[in-house]
Protein backbone atom coordinates (compact mmCIF):
# COMPACT_ATOMS: atom_id res chain seq x y z
CA UNK A 1 0.00 0.00 0.00
CA UNK A 2 2.99 2.31 0.45
CA UNK A 3 3.29 2.60 -3.36
CA UNK A 4 0.02 4.55 -3.49
CA UNK A 5 -0.28 8.23 -2.55
CA UNK A 6 -2.09 8.60 0.77
CA UNK A 7 -4.93 10.65 -0.74
CA UNK A 8 -5.86 7.77 -3.03
CA UNK A 9 -5.98 5.36 -0.12
CA UNK A 10 -8.02 7.91 1.79
CA UNK A 11 -10.61 8.21 -0.98
CA UNK A 12 -10.99 4.46 -1.28
CA UNK A 13 -11.15 3.94 2.48
CA UNK A 14 -13.78 6.65 2.88
CA UNK A 15 -15.91 6.20 -0.24
CA UNK A 16 -15.06 2.71 -1.46
CA UNK A 17 -15.58 2.12 -5.20
CA UNK A 18 -16.95 5.67 -5.78
CA UNK A 19 -13.67 6.93 -4.33
CA UNK A 20 -11.75 4.97 -6.98
CA UNK A 21 -14.03 6.50 -9.63
CA UNK A 22 -13.39 10.00 -8.29
CA UNK A 23 -9.63 9.41 -8.34
CA UNK A 24 -9.81 8.29 -11.98
CA UNK A 25 -11.93 11.31 -12.92
CA UNK A 26 -9.24 13.56 -11.41
CA UNK A 27 -6.55 11.59 -13.24
CA UNK A 28 -8.25 12.38 -16.54
CA UNK A 29 -8.23 16.09 -15.74
CA UNK A 30 -4.67 16.08 -14.42
CA UNK A 31 -2.69 13.48 -16.46
CA UNK A 32 0.36 13.43 -14.12
CA UNK A 33 -1.81 11.69 -11.51
CA UNK A 34 -0.96 7.97 -11.43
CA UNK A 35 -3.68 5.94 -13.16
CA UNK A 36 -1.19 3.07 -13.18
CA UNK A 37 -1.48 3.15 -9.38
CA UNK A 38 -5.20 3.87 -9.00
CA UNK A 39 -6.55 1.05 -11.18
CA UNK A 40 -4.53 -1.92 -9.88
CA UNK A 41 -4.89 -0.59 -6.34
CA UNK A 42 -8.67 -0.63 -6.80
CA UNK A 43 -8.36 -4.25 -7.95
CA UNK A 44 -6.24 -5.11 -4.94
CA UNK A 45 -8.76 -3.42 -2.64
CA UNK A 46 -11.49 -5.54 -4.21
CA UNK A 47 -9.46 -8.69 -3.60
CA UNK A 48 -9.27 -7.85 0.12
CA UNK A 49 -12.99 -7.15 0.35
CA UNK A 50 -12.67 -3.39 0.78
CA UNK A 51 -14.92 -2.93 -2.25
CA UNK A 52 -16.87 -5.03 -4.71
CA UNK A 53 -15.00 -5.94 -7.91
CA UNK A 54 -17.91 -5.12 -10.22
CA UNK A 55 -18.43 -1.83 -8.43
CA UNK A 56 -14.74 -1.01 -8.89
CA UNK A 57 -15.00 -1.68 -12.63
CA UNK A 58 -18.18 0.35 -13.03
CA UNK A 59 -17.06 3.32 -10.94
CA UNK A 60 -13.59 3.61 -12.49
CA UNK A 61 -15.12 3.50 -15.97
CA UNK A 62 -17.68 6.13 -14.93
CA UNK A 63 -14.86 8.28 -13.56
CA UNK A 64 -12.98 7.99 -16.86
CA UNK A 65 -16.04 9.04 -18.84
CA UNK A 66 -16.82 11.98 -16.54
CA UNK A 67 -13.23 13.25 -16.73
CA UNK A 68 -13.16 12.86 -20.51
CA UNK A 69 -16.51 14.63 -20.83
CA UNK A 70 -15.16 17.60 -18.85
CA UNK A 71 -12.21 17.90 -21.24
CA UNK A 72 -14.55 17.53 -24.22
CA UNK A 73 -16.44 20.52 -22.79
CA UNK A 74 -13.20 22.51 -22.56
CA UNK A 75 -12.53 21.80 -26.24
CA UNK A 76 -16.08 22.71 -27.22
CA UNK A 77 -15.87 26.01 -25.32
CA UNK A 78 -12.50 26.75 -26.87
CA UNK A 79 -13.83 26.13 -30.37
CA UNK A 80 -12.05 26.06 -33.69
CA UNK A 81 -11.68 29.83 -34.13
CA UNK A 82 -9.98 30.31 -30.75
CA UNK A 83 -7.77 27.27 -31.37
CA UNK A 84 -6.61 28.70 -34.71
CA UNK A 85 -6.05 32.13 -33.15
CA UNK A 86 -3.93 30.64 -30.36
CA UNK A 87 -1.93 28.55 -32.83
CA UNK A 88 -1.24 31.61 -34.97
CA UNK A 89 0.53 33.24 -32.00
CA UNK A 90 2.75 30.25 -31.24
CA UNK A 91 6.32 30.27 -32.57
CA UNK A 92 7.03 27.78 -35.38
CA UNK A 93 3.34 26.78 -35.59
CA UNK A 94 1.32 27.67 -38.67
CA UNK A 95 -2.41 27.84 -39.17
CA UNK A 96 -1.92 25.21 -41.88
CA UNK A 97 -0.69 22.83 -39.16
CA UNK A 98 -4.01 23.17 -37.38
CA UNK A 99 -5.90 22.70 -40.63
CA UNK A 100 -3.96 19.51 -41.39
CA UNK A 101 -4.58 18.22 -37.87
CA UNK A 102 -8.26 19.06 -38.25
CA UNK A 103 -8.46 17.20 -41.56
CA UNK A 104 -6.73 14.19 -40.01
CA UNK A 105 -9.11 14.18 -37.04
CA UNK A 106 -12.14 14.38 -39.31
CA UNK A 107 -10.91 11.23 -41.08
CA UNK A 108 -9.62 9.26 -38.09
CA UNK A 109 -11.27 10.87 -35.06
CA UNK A 110 -13.33 7.83 -34.04
CA UNK A 111 -10.26 5.56 -34.00
CA UNK A 112 -8.24 8.26 -32.22
CA UNK A 113 -10.78 8.61 -29.42
CA UNK A 114 -11.20 4.85 -28.97
CA UNK A 115 -7.53 3.80 -29.08
CA UNK A 116 -6.38 7.03 -27.45
CA UNK A 117 -8.10 5.91 -24.24
CA UNK A 118 -5.44 3.19 -24.00
CA UNK A 119 -2.39 5.41 -24.45
CA UNK A 120 -0.94 7.19 -21.40
CA UNK A 121 -0.96 11.01 -21.61
CA UNK A 122 -3.02 10.99 -24.82
CA UNK A 123 -5.89 9.19 -23.09
CA UNK A 124 -6.79 12.50 -21.47
CA UNK A 125 -5.72 14.95 -24.17
CA UNK A 126 -7.64 13.27 -27.01
CA UNK A 127 -10.92 14.53 -25.53
CA UNK A 128 -9.98 18.17 -26.21
CA UNK A 129 -9.77 17.99 -30.05
CA UNK A 130 -12.94 15.89 -30.01
CA UNK A 131 -14.66 18.82 -28.32
CA UNK A 132 -13.06 21.40 -30.61
CA UNK A 133 -14.31 19.50 -33.65
CA UNK A 134 -17.70 18.94 -32.00
CA UNK A 135 -17.68 15.19 -32.49
CA UNK A 136 -21.29 14.05 -31.94
CA UNK A 137 -21.67 13.60 -28.20
CA UNK A 138 -23.29 10.11 -28.35
CA UNK A 139 -20.41 8.90 -30.55
CA UNK A 140 -17.81 10.43 -28.22
CA UNK A 141 -19.43 8.95 -25.12
CA UNK A 142 -19.79 5.51 -26.71
CA UNK A 143 -16.17 5.34 -27.87
CA UNK A 144 -14.85 6.77 -24.62
CA UNK A 145 -16.88 4.37 -22.51
CA UNK A 146 -15.79 1.33 -24.51
CA UNK A 147 -12.11 2.30 -24.65
CA UNK A 148 -12.05 3.23 -20.96
CA UNK A 149 -13.83 0.03 -19.94
CA UNK A 150 -11.24 -2.12 -21.76
CA UNK A 151 -8.28 -0.20 -20.29
CA UNK A 152 -9.66 -0.04 -16.75
CA UNK A 153 -10.82 -3.66 -16.69
CA UNK A 154 -7.38 -4.93 -17.71
CA UNK A 155 -5.61 -3.15 -14.88
CA UNK A 156 -8.26 -3.54 -12.19
CA UNK A 157 -8.36 -7.29 -12.86
CA UNK A 158 -4.56 -7.44 -12.87
CA UNK A 159 -4.48 -5.83 -9.42
CA UNK A 160 -7.26 -8.16 -8.25
CA UNK A 161 -5.43 -11.30 -9.43
CA UNK A 162 -1.96 -10.23 -8.28
CA UNK A 163 -3.11 -9.30 -4.79
CA UNK A 164 -0.17 -8.14 -2.66
CA UNK A 165 1.97 -8.02 -5.82
CA UNK A 166 -0.28 -5.44 -7.52
CA UNK A 167 2.63 -2.99 -7.82
CA UNK A 168 4.03 -5.16 -10.64
CA UNK A 169 1.31 -3.65 -12.82
CA UNK A 170 2.42 -0.16 -11.79
CA UNK A 171 6.01 -0.89 -12.82
CA UNK A 172 4.90 -2.24 -16.21
CA UNK A 173 2.61 0.67 -17.06
CA UNK A 174 5.19 3.20 -15.82
CA UNK A 175 7.70 1.79 -18.30
CA UNK A 176 5.05 1.93 -21.07
CA UNK A 177 4.28 5.56 -20.17
CA UNK A 178 7.96 6.51 -20.34
CA UNK A 179 8.25 5.00 -23.83
CA UNK A 180 5.19 6.95 -25.00
CA UNK A 181 6.50 10.17 -23.46
CA UNK A 182 9.94 9.69 -25.03
CA UNK A 183 8.32 9.14 -28.44
CA UNK A 184 6.23 12.30 -28.04
CA UNK A 185 9.30 14.35 -27.07
CA UNK A 186 11.25 13.04 -30.08
CA UNK A 187 8.33 13.86 -32.39
CA UNK A 188 8.14 17.43 -31.06
CA UNK A 189 11.92 17.83 -31.36
CA UNK A 190 11.83 16.59 -34.95
CA UNK A 191 8.97 18.99 -35.77
CA UNK A 192 10.91 21.94 -34.34
CA UNK A 193 14.11 20.96 -36.17
CA UNK A 194 12.36 20.61 -39.52
CA UNK A 195 10.45 23.85 -39.07
CA UNK A 196 13.65 25.76 -38.17
CA UNK A 197 15.46 24.39 -41.22
CA UNK A 198 12.59 25.47 -43.46
CA UNK A 199 12.44 29.03 -42.13
CA UNK A 200 13.07 31.71 -44.77
CA UNK A 201 16.74 32.69 -44.82
CA UNK A 202 18.09 29.49 -43.31
CA UNK A 203 19.36 28.34 -46.70
CA UNK A 204 21.04 31.68 -47.38
CA UNK A 205 22.78 31.56 -44.02
CA UNK A 206 24.14 28.10 -44.77
CA UNK A 207 25.40 29.20 -48.19
CA UNK A 208 27.09 32.25 -46.67
CA UNK A 209 28.82 30.06 -44.12
CA UNK A 210 30.00 27.68 -46.87
CA UNK A 211 31.41 30.55 -48.96
CA UNK A 212 33.23 31.97 -45.95
CA UNK A 213 34.74 28.59 -45.17
CA UNK A 214 35.97 28.10 -48.78
CA UNK A 215 37.59 31.54 -48.91
Amino acid sequence: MTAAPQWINGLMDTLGAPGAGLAIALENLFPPLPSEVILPLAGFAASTGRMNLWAALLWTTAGSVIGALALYGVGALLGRDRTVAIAARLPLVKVSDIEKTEAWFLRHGTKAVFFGRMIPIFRSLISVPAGVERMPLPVFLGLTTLGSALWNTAFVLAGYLLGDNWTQVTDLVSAYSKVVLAGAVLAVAAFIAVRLLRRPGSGRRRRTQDVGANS
Side-chain angles (χ1 to χ4, degrees):
M1 298 296 288
T2 56
Q6 189 59 41
W7 69 270
I8 298 176
N9 283 321
L11 279 176
M12 293 188 187
D13 285 337
T14 303
L15 302 176
L22 178 57
I24 286 295
L26 293 173
E27 178 268 334
N28 275 262
L29 297 173
F30 305 100
L33 292 179
S35 66
E36 66 269 21
V37 171
I38 299 169
L39 293 171
L41 176 57
F44 171 64
S47 73
T48 63
R50 291 168 59 201
M51 66 178 71
N52 179 271
L53 177 60
W54 286 107
L57 293 172
L58 290 173
W59 277 102
T60 54
T61 299
S64 294
V65 173
I66 291 170
L69 187 59
L71 290 174
Y72 176 96
V74 170
L77 289 173
L78 185 62
R80 182 183 184 278
D81 292 342
R82 288 194 183 95
T83 301
V84 172
I86 292 171
R89 297 190 184 97
L90 296 176
L92 304 179
V93 177
K94 301 177 181 179
V95 173
S96 60
D97 296 327
I98 302 299
E99 293 173 342
K100 290 176 183 177
T101 302
E102 180 182 33
W104 180 90
F105 193 87
L106 291 174
R107 291 195 303 272
H108 307 289
T110 54
K111 295 189 288 288
V113 170
F114 175 72
F115 290 107
R117 298 303 304 171
M118 305 174 205
I119 303 175
I121 302 172
F122 296 100
R123 64 192 305 268
S124 296
L125 299 178
I126 193 61
S127 301
V128 177
V132 171
E133 295 301 327
R134 299 297 178 93
M135 173 181 282
L137 193 55
V139 174
F140 174 78
L141 288 176
L143 293 169
T144 298
T145 300
L146 182 57
S148 298
L150 291 173
W151 174 265
N152 293 357
T153 298
F155 291 105
V156 170
L157 287 181
Y160 182 85
L161 295 173
L162 287 171
D164 290 333
N165 297 317
W166 66 271
T167 53
Q168 293 179 11
V169 185
T170 298
D171 297 337
L172 179 63
V173 181
S174 294
Y176 175 41
S177 299
K178 290 175 182 177
V179 170
V180 172
L181 180 59
V185 170
L186 288 174
V188 171
F191 171 81
I192 293 173
V194 170
R195 188 52 52 86
L196 286 173
L197 290 173
R198 290 180 178 176
R199 291 181 69 179
S202 60
R204 289 195 297 273
R205 286 195 295 271
R206 287 197 300 272
R207 287 194 296 271
T208 300
Q209 291 170 357
D210 292 341
V211 170
N214 293 331
S215 62

